[in-house]
């Protein structure tokens, strides 16, 4: 399938500083794609280049196969939902949504019909005549979304649109956004620094750091198979086990970690023998037993700290080999542990070798 | 229980899309628009040129041009230049100013007059501005200010004329004093330096009021309370807290009043007399007399402009106001 | 602690305020009162009252012509100053232009040059470029005077405008011109209306520029000036009172508009 959006070797410099550095990215149509990263990682610049508000310093951007770098924003069939909505304060809700339609040369009857359809989609038909400052934050959000969808763009861009909402409303809007994306079948490109938001809504997450793509994949893959230390740390939390590769057998590597031989998924890498190797391990992927198990791998350790977090409890465990691990245990698993002397283990597919 | 449907229908406001809405897009989408304005709009250099051209031309031609031309003429021996080509540049026009008391005295009088007017206005208006900004309840502030703004909109001439009503020999003050038996014959107040100052302060008080008001209003009241809490007397609180914090307003207000009163023109014509001739009148005669002396007039204007701007500049430097707001 | 003197400063300041208000309003009140005097000369006390002066003024051809002339000049001035003022304000807020501070300072220059010198330099200038004294010259000089105020009012409003409103319009298919007309101008509207009324009033008020640049046809202030310098009769008071009421009403309305635009 032809990608709907494609970045080809796109660079963007502010002075000598690279904001986006050699970006290559292809986005399939109809997907909910999230650009995720800390502030300053280049995700917003990427979005603004696609919208036409920034010009790439070099490289080319294609929209449905056509190069669009030289086109001004008004000649691109993409629309943005801005961070603070940018609703026109002098126009009512209906005229805000109709703004893009009016510029398309539709008749006023057609404009009216389409606007009312869009309002119905977010159940705001009764608010057509209201001014933006008479709306709640969530309602403004919906109006901004419909205004951007009104001209029927190929791709809808969303620039951290939920950041101004409170936590409850944000969760509700996440689901609503996803639903609207499904019903309209449009490609959504969503920018956020909130990993939970990204995991909830996306078909594909693109993790960016320092102007480059760190990793791209579906949420599940990113979470369970992080490729780099950055991704493993930015999405959820991880234990990093630093050791030396001993051998590689198919997809499983054996690593010398503080004198203990552990096994981990190579995760697409090819660690050379004796090279320093890092393994990432999620705190909630660890199991914890009172006795040494006969059938599974486990290491002896001692609980040095327990922090109650509600749904789970965070444990810090000092192992006999001198290393320290962080665990998250649910109440049921925790209830089996009587003493501080415990055995900790993991399944070998939950431990992944990192590329850096 | 509240009937939600009625509430919905009551708050529902129908969408009205005006007829012209469709035409916006048709115009913008038409070939004619796209190949003319649309093409211009797409190019950043063209947009910049359009944006900068007219304003820069206007500023160069009409803001700088006249002052420049006035400066040029002030160095000319004759204007218009005499036909035999003798348009020599000279300093004679400036020398004339320093050599003749007829010009020198009104000039000094103008500067002193403007300084006195500025200072008096400041003293008169400061308490009023303070009262409106800090003591009047916030909800009444706008009304208290508007009451004082009404005369501001009456215009220079009408206000000057109304001062005559007050100060003339058969004006309100003299008639009232006579009715009360204080005087037998009217005190001549009109056409003196008193009537002129009175009138000019009357004209310019509001240029002082507005900057002072906005500066004082911005002073947090807690600061004054804090000073009182630390044992400052009312005078100390004024001297050490309020006055320094209203500095910006004082600088703007004084600059505006000074610059305006240096060039005040209509008021001396109506309220002044033979002993109050100030510099603007002198300059004006050079432009309106039958054998006009434009180079001299231009030179004198340049002097007045230079001295008044320098004075204000020095004043701002000394007091150290950060920003001068014109409104 | 200071029970007897605690309120003294407040009372004194209140008294200062009211004295000042009387100082500002009394002359105008006297002027208005005199317009009802049934005698052909201006002098207190007023014993007989009449409305005749108003009837006379409203039939006075000179007055009506001068008023219309002044209004015409004011409208032309306002149109020119508003267009140029907005244009300069837009230039000064554009990204990536060199020397914006200088452009802004020069745009404000006429506001700090004393009025008389403004008038004289313009008089010299129009002779240089061969514009005769008269309507065009008056309109030019009034516009130059009004431009700085429009620039400042528009800039204040523009600075409060969210940057991405124009971006949003562009995103929805508007080219820069359409975005300007459909988003920027409506956003500026309250400040523009206030500024326009301000232009009208300062133009109608202006005496010194018209004095140097006017032709034979008198504007309203020139007419009043001539009448004051000639003999004085309560007719002038009636004339001035009419002008006062109209301009004060318009001025108060403008004040409300600008105040609303700031909130």
């Amino acid at each position: 399938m032809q990608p709907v959006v494609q970045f080809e070797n796109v660079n963007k410099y502010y002075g000598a500083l690279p904001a986006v550095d050699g970006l290559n990215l292809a986005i399939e149509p109809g997907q909910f794609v999230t650009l995720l990263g800390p502030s300053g990682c280049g995700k917003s610049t990427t979005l603004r280049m696609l919208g036409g508000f920034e010009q790439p310093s070099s490289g080319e951007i294609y929209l449905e196969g056509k190069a669009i770098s030289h086109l001004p924003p008004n000649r691109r069939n993409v629309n943005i939902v801005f961070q603070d909505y940018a609703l026109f304060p002098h126009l009512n809700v209906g005229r805000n949504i109709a703004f893009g339609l009016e510029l398309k040369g539709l008749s006023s009857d057609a404009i009216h019909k389409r606007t009312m359809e869009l309002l119905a989609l977010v159940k705001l038909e009764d608010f057509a005549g209201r001014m933006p400052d008479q709306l709640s934050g969530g309602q403004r959000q919906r109006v901004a979304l419909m205004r951007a969808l009104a001209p029927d763009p190929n791709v809808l861009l969303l620039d951290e649109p939920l950041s101004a909402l409170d936590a409850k409303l944000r969760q509700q809007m996440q689901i609503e956004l996803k639903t609207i994306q499904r019903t309209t079948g449009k490609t959504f490109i969503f920018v956020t620094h909130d990993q939970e938001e990204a995991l909830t809504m996306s078909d594909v997450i693109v993790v960016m750091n320092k102007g480059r793509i760190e990793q791209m994949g579906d949420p599940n893959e990113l979470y369970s198979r992080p490729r780099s230390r950055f991704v493993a740390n930015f999405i959820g939390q991880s234990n990093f086990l630093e050791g030396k590769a001993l051998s590689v057998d198919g997809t499983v590597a054996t690593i010398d970690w503080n004198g203990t031989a552990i096994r981990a998924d190579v995760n697409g890498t090819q660690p050379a023998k004796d090279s320093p190797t890092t393994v990432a391990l999620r705190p909630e992927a660890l199991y914890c037993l009172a006795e040494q198990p006969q059938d599974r791998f486990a290491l002896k350790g001692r609980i040095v700290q327990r922090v109650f977090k509600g749904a789970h409890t965070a444990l810090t465990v000092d192992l006999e080999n001198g290393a320290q691990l962080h665990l998250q245990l649910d109440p049921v698993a925790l209830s089996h542990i009587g003493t501080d002397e415990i055995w900790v283990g993991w399944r070998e597919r939950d431990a992944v070798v990192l590329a850096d | 229980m509240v009937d939600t449907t009625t509430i919905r229908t009551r708050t529902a406001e129908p969408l009205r899309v005006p007829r012209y809405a469709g035409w916006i897009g048709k115009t913008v989408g038409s070939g004619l628009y796209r190949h003319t304005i649309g093409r211009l709009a797409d190019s950043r250099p063209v947009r910049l040129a359009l944006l900068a051209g007219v304003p820069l031309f206007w500023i160069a031609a009409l803001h700088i041009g006249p002052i420049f031309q006035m400066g040029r003429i002030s160095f000319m021996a004759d204007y218009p230049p005499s036909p035999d080509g003798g348009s020599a540049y000279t300093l004679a026009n400036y020398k004339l100013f320093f050599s003749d008391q007829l010009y020198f005295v009104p000039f000094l009088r103008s500067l002193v007059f403007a300084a006195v007017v500025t200072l008096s206005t400041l003293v008169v208006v400061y308490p009023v501005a303070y009262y409106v900004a800090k003591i009047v309840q916030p909800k009444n502030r706008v009304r208290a200010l508007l009451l004082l703004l009404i005369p501001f909109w009456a215009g220079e001439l009408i206000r000057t004329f109304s001062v005559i009503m007050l100060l003339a020999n058969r004006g309100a003050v003299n008639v009232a004093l006579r009715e009360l038996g204080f005087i037998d014959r009217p005190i001549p107040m009109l056409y003196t330096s008193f009537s002129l100052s009175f009138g000019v302060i009357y004209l310019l008080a509001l240029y002082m009021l507005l900057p002072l008001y906005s500066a004082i209003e911005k002073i947090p009241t807690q600061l004054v309370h804090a000073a009182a809490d630390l044992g400052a007397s009312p005078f100390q609180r004024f001297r050490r807290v309020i006055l320094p914090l209203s500095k910006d307003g004082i600088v703007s207000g004084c600059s505006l009043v000074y610059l305006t009163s240096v060039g005040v023109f209509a008021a001396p014509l109506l309220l002044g007399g033979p002993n109050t001739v100030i510099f603007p009148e002198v300059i004006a005669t050079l432009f309106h007399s039958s054998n006009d002396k434009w180079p001299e007039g231009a030179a004198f204007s340049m002097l007045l402009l230079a001295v008044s701007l320098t004075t204000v500049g020095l004043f701002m430097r000394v007091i150290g106001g950060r920003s001068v707001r014109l409104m | 602690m200071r029970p007897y003197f605690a309120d003294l400063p407040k009372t004194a300041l209140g008294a200062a305020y009211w004295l000042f208000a009387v100082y500002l309003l009394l002359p105008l009140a006297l002027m208005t009162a005199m317009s009802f005097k049934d005698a052909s000369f201006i002098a207190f006390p007023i014993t007989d009252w009449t409305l005749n002066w108003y009837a006379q003024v409203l039939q006075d051809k000179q007055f009506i012509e001068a008023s219309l002339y002044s209004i015409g000049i004011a409208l032309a001035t306002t149109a020119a100053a508003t267009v140029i003022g907005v244009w300069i304000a837009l230039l000064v807020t554009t990204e990536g232009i060199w020397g914006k501070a200088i452009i802004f300072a020069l745009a404000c220059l006429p506001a700090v040059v004393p009025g008389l010198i403004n008038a004289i330099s313009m008089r010299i200038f129009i002779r240089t470029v061969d514009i005769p004294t008269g309507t065009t010259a008056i309109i030019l000089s009034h516009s130059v005077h009004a431009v700085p105020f429009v620039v400042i009012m528009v800039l204040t409003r523009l600075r409060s405008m969210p940057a991405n409103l124009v971006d949003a319009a562009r995103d929805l298919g508007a080219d820069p011109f359409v975005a300007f007309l459909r988003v920027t101008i409506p956003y500026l509207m309250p400040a523009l209306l206030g500024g326009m009324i301000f232009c009208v009033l300062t133009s109608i008020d202006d005496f010194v520029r018209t004095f140097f640049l006017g032709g034979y046809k008198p504007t309203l202030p020139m007419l009043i000036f001539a009448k004051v310098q000639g003999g004085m009769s309560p007719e002038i008071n009636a004339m001035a009172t009419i002008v006062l009421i109209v301009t004060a009403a318009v001025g108060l309305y403008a004040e409300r508009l600008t105040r609303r635009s700031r909130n």
Side-chain angles (χ1 to χ4, degrees):
Chain A
M1 207 186 317
Q2 187 192 28
V4 61
V5 170
Q6 193 172 3
F7 287 82
E8 209 175 80
N9 285 322
V10 170
N11 291 296
K12 174 69 187 175
Y13 292 94
Y14 292 112
L17 283 174
V20 170
D21 191 3
L23 183 71
N24 282 294
L25 175 64
I27 290 170
E28 305 284 312
Q31 289 196 312
F32 196 119
V33 179
T34 299
L35 304 183
L36 175 67
S39 65
C41 72
K43 58 190 191 302
S44 286
T45 309
T46 305
L47 199 75
R48 288 181 65 80
M49 284 194 287
L50 187 51
F53 298 105
E54 306 276 356
Q55 261 57 52
S57 306
S58 63
E60 188 54 80
I61 303 170
Y62 298 92
L63 184 66
E64 297 192 311
K66 274 175 274 177
I68 57 163
S69 287
H70 61 286
L71 292 176
N74 47 315
R75 304 229 185 281
R76 302 182 181 201
N77 203 6
V78 297
N79 288 122
I80 299 191
V81 179
F82 288 89
Q83 189 167 8
D84 51 2
Y85 319 139
L87 296 179
F88 304 123
H90 59 286
L91 296 178
N92 63 28
V93 166
R95 297 293 307 281
N96 257 286
I97 293 175
F99 193 95
L101 301 170
E102 289 174 12
L103 286 162
K104 290 205 132 188
L106 302 179
S107 72
S108 56
D109 289 337
I111 293 170
H112 188 276
K113 187 160 165 285
R114 172 95 173 120
T115 305
M116 291 315 288
E117 282 169 14
L118 288 160
L119 279 168
L121 201 59
V122 285
K123 301 185 181 64
L124 286 174
E125 304 99 310
D126 290 348
F127 292 77
R130 292 271 183 99
M131 299 309 277
D133 58 8
Q134 297 169 310
L135 300 181
S136 71
Q139 289 168 336
R140 275 182 224 183
Q141 173 68 70
R142 293 185 182 94
V143 175
L145 183 65
M146 288 306 122
R147 183 180 71 175
L149 279 174
D152 204 21
N154 304 82
V155 180
L156 190 76
L157 312 178
L158 303 102
D159 188 5
E160 307 214 17
L162 305 181
S163 58
L165 302 179
D166 62 62
K168 270 259 168 63
L169 196 53
R170 194 182 312 171
Q171 285 178 353
Q172 192 185 326
M173 283 304 299
Q174 286 170 7
I175 293 162
E176 199 169 324
L177 266 181
K178 183 72 191 158
T179 314
I180 289 169
Q181 192 263 332
R182 287 252 173 77
T183 40
T184 57
K186 296 211 174 294
T187 312
F188 276 32
I189 303 181
F190 186 94
V191 159
T192 184
H193 61 267
D194 183 336
Q195 43 117 355
E196 194 196 316
E197 210 164 271
L199 294 173
T200 311
M201 292 187 288
S202 317
D203 297 320
V204 174
I205 297 178
V206 180
V207 181
M208 293 184 72
N209 185 32
K210 293 178 181 162
R212 293 169 165 277
I213 294 179
E214 286 276 340
Q215 189 173 354
M216 182 172 164
D218 68 58
N220 195 6
E221 182 190 336
L222 275 180
Y223 191 82
S224 54
R225 296 256 169 282
R227 295 277 290 282
S228 67
R229 189 182 275 261
F230 177 83
V231 175
N233 230 351
F234 195 76
I235 301 179
Q237 285 146 359
S238 288
N239 290 294
F240 294 107
L241 283 47
E242 288 172 29
K244 230 184 252 173
L246 294 174
S247 64
V248 178
D249 176 17
T251 62
V252 178
T254 307
I255 290 143
D256 172 20
W257 175 54
N258 280 17
T260 315
I262 58 169
R263 288 157 66 80
D265 193 309
V266 292
N267 194 26
T269 65
Q270 289 187 318
K273 190 169 159 43
D274 285 338
S275 64
T277 306
T278 306
V279 173
L281 195 53
R282 297 283 181 198
E284 69 275 16
L286 291 156
Y287 48 81
C288 185
L289 304 159
E291 305 284 331
Q292 180 171 25
Q294 300 307 311
D295 53 340
R296 307 188 252 183
F297 166 75
L299 296 166
K300 196 163 194 293
R302 186 187 155 75
I303 299 173
V304 294
Q305 195 182 40
R306 295 167 191 251
V307 180
F308 178 66
K309 298 245 179 162
H312 67 261
T313 299
L315 301 181
T316 308
V317 174
D318 279 351
L319 296 179
E320 272 191 336
N321 68 1
Q324 196 174 57
L325 284 179
H326 298 277
L327 285 77
Q328 272 181 22
L329 290 189
D330 58 56
V332 179
L334 195 65
S335 64
H336 297 300
I337 313 289
T339 61
D340 283 350
E341 304 294 326
I342 50 153
W343 291 82
V344 177
W346 60 87
R347 296 178 301 183
E348 74 188 32
R349 64 188 159 100
D350 287 333
V352 293
V353 174
L354 299 179
D356 59 349
Chain B
M1 204 182 122
V2 182
D3 182 357
T4 49
T5 50
T6 51
I7 288 178
R8 278 174 63 112
T9 37
R10 207 187 307 148
T11 53
E13 290 159 51
L15 172 65
R16 283 190 203 86
V17 177
R19 286 281 134 197
Y20 70 79
W23 286 100
I24 300 169
K26 290 211 175 71
T27 313
V28 175
S30 68
L32 182 66
Y33 182 93
R34 277 221 309 257
H35 289 104
T36 54
I37 303 175
R39 176 132 339 146
L40 292 179
D42 277 351
S43 144
R44 183 171 157 83
V46 170
R47 284 208 311 270
L48 274 185
L50 278 176
L51 193 59
V54 172
L56 291 182
F57 175 77
W58 174 276
I59 289 173
L62 292 165
H63 290 195
I64 304 171
I67 306 270
F68 174 79
Q69 182 66 6
M70 186 169 78
R72 213 167 68 91
I73 287 177
S74 75
F75 292 105
M76 284 185 174
D78 290 301
Y79 189 83
S82 47
D84 51 14
S87 70
Y89 286 94
T90 168
L91 282 175
N93 304 319
Y94 289 91
K95 278 195 195 127
L96 176 70
F97 171 79
F98 291 103
S99 60
D100 196 335
Q101 244 193 346
L102 194 63
Y103 304 127
F104 199 65
V105 171
F107 182 74
L108 285 182
R109 196 183 281 146
S110 250
L111 295 186
V112 172
F113 172 73
V116 170
V117 163
T118 306
L119 202 66
S120 322
T121 314
L122 177 65
V123 172
V124 169
V125 172
Y126 199 100
V128 178
Y130 186 84
Y131 178 78
V132 179
K134 281 289 163 223
I135 295 178
V136 174
Q137 298 294 316
K139 66 179 162 57
N140 293 330
R141 245 174 235 166
V142 172
R143 232 171 296 159
L145 204 57
L146 282 184
L147 180 68
L148 305 182
L149 282 179
I150 292 171
F152 189 47
W153 295 112
E156 192 186 358
L157 265 186
I158 290 178
R159 269 182 295 159
T160 312
F161 175 63
S162 72
V163 168
I164 298 179
M165 299 294 107
L166 198 63
L167 299 183
N169 282 353
R170 298 188 64 184
V173 172
N174 272 321
V175 169
L177 287 177
R178 203 176 51 195
E179 291 294 312
L180 293 171
F182 289 121
I183 52 171
D184 292 329
R185 74 180 58 161
I187 310 169
M189 289 184 284
L190 213 51
Y191 313 122
T192 62
S193 52
F194 170 74
S195 62
L196 183 53
S197 316
F198 186 94
V200 173
I201 294 173
Y202 185 64
L203 285 178
L204 305 184
L206 290 139
Y207 291 119
M208 188 67 88
L209 179 69
L210 292 180
L212 279 182
Y213 168 78
S214 63
I216 296 174
E217 201 208 2
K218 284 193 197 97
I219 301 175
T221 313
Q222 297 96 303
L223 282 186
V224 185
H225 291 326
D229 203 43
L230 294 169
S233 70
F235 177 74
Q236 283 174 319
R237 292 199 296 258
F238 173 72
R239 173 73 192 75
R240 304 285 293 278
V241 179
I242 298 163
L243 200 58
L245 287 175
S246 55
K247 206 164 62 178
D248 281 359
I250 295 175
V251 171
S252 314
C254 287
S255 308
L256 274 177
V257 170
Y258 186 85
L259 287 171
T260 318
S261 56
V262 157
V264 74
F265 183 64
L269 292 183
L270 293 178
L271 298 176
N275 297 326
T276 65
V277 173
I278 55 174
F279 205 52
E281 292 175 88
V282 174
I283 297 179
T285 39
L286 294 171
F287 282 87
H288 261 218
S289 56
S290 50
N291 57 335
D292 50 17
K293 298 176 177 160
W294 282 30
E296 289 90 337
F300 293 3
S301 300
M302 288 306 284
L303 279 171
L304 186 62
L305 179 63
V307 170
S308 54
L309 286 184
T310 315
T311 314
V312 169
L314 280 177
F315 176 68
M316 270 156 39
R317 177 65 60 85
V318 171
I319 304 283
R322 272 170 292 127
S323 62
V324 172
R325 295 179 58 233
L326 292 166
M327 295 180 68
Chain C
M1 277 206 286
R2 294 173 285 110
Y4 299 108
F5 302 107
D7 280 341
L8 192 63
K10 267 186 198 181
T11 318
L13 287 170
Y17 171 81
W18 286 109
L19 273 176
F20 187 68
V22 168
Y23 168 63
L24 287 182
L25 295 171
L26 182 66
L28 294 171
L30 291 173
M31 182 189 83
T32 308
M34 188 63 74
S35 69
F36 297 105
K37 182 177 179 175
D38 192 5
S40 58
F41 54 94
I42 294 177
F44 284 97
I46 305 168
T47 46
D48 300 305
W49 303 82
T50 178
L51 282 172
N52 280 348
W53 295 115
Y54 285 93
Q56 194 172 323
V57 167
L58 291 176
Q59 287 162 4
D60 184 347
K61 242 190 174 161
Q62 261 188 320
F63 172 72
I64 290 164
E65 271 174 21
S67 300
L68 292 178
Y69 186 47
S70 272
I71 290 171
I73 287 174
L75 294 179
T77 297
T78 303
T82 308
V83 170
I84 300 289
V86 170
W87 215 323
I88 293 176
L90 285 177
L91 179 65
V92 170
T93 47
T94 305
E95 299 281 328
I97 290 200
W98 178 85
K100 283 191 283 197
I102 298 172
I103 296 172
F104 177 66
L106 289 174
C108 291
L109 183 67
V112 294
V113 172
L116 171 83
I117 293 175
N118 253 330
I120 284 174
S121 63
M122 191 59 86
R123 176 72 191 85
I124 293 172
F125 180 74
I126 60 162
R127 183 152 159 193
T128 314
V129 296
D130 260 338
I131 299 173
T133 54
T135 314
T136 315
I138 298 176
I139 292 172
L140 266 186
S141 76
H142 285 189
S143 307
V144 169
H145 177 54
V147 158
F149 297 97
V150 177
V151 170
I152 288 168
M153 286 175 110
V154 171
L155 268 185
T156 314
R157 181 81 179 151
L158 266 182
R159 296 228 160 98
S160 77
M161 179 166 167
N164 53 21
L165 282 190
V166 172
D167 282 357
R170 302 269 284 135
D171 187 60
L172 292 166
D175 68 32
F177 295 136
V178 175
F180 174 71
L181 289 177
R182 290 222 47 206
V183 176
T184 311
I185 286 287
Y187 189 84
L188 291 179
M189 219 47 203
L192 276 184
L193 279 179
M196 286 161 102
I197 293 176
F198 182 86
C199 288
V200 168
L201 290 180
T202 45
S203 167
I204 286 185
D205 278 353
D206 176 76
F207 175 74
V208 62
R209 291 172 185 79
T210 318
F211 185 84
F212 283 97
L213 299 163
Y216 295 105
K217 204 170 169 183
T219 63
L220 204 47
M222 297 303 291
L223 181 74
I224 293 176
F225 180 73
K227 294 222 174 211
V228 173
Q229 279 210 319
M232 292 219 245
S233 85
E235 188 203 352
I236 311 172
N237 294 62
M239 208 179 266
T241 304
I242 294 171
V243 178
L244 166 68
I245 288 170
V246 172
T247 51
V250 177
L252 283 173
Y253 177 69
E255 187 62 32
R256 261 185 55 193
L257 274 182
T258 40
R259 202 168 293 282
R260 205 180 302 155
S261 83
R262 270 180 213 144
N263 297 338

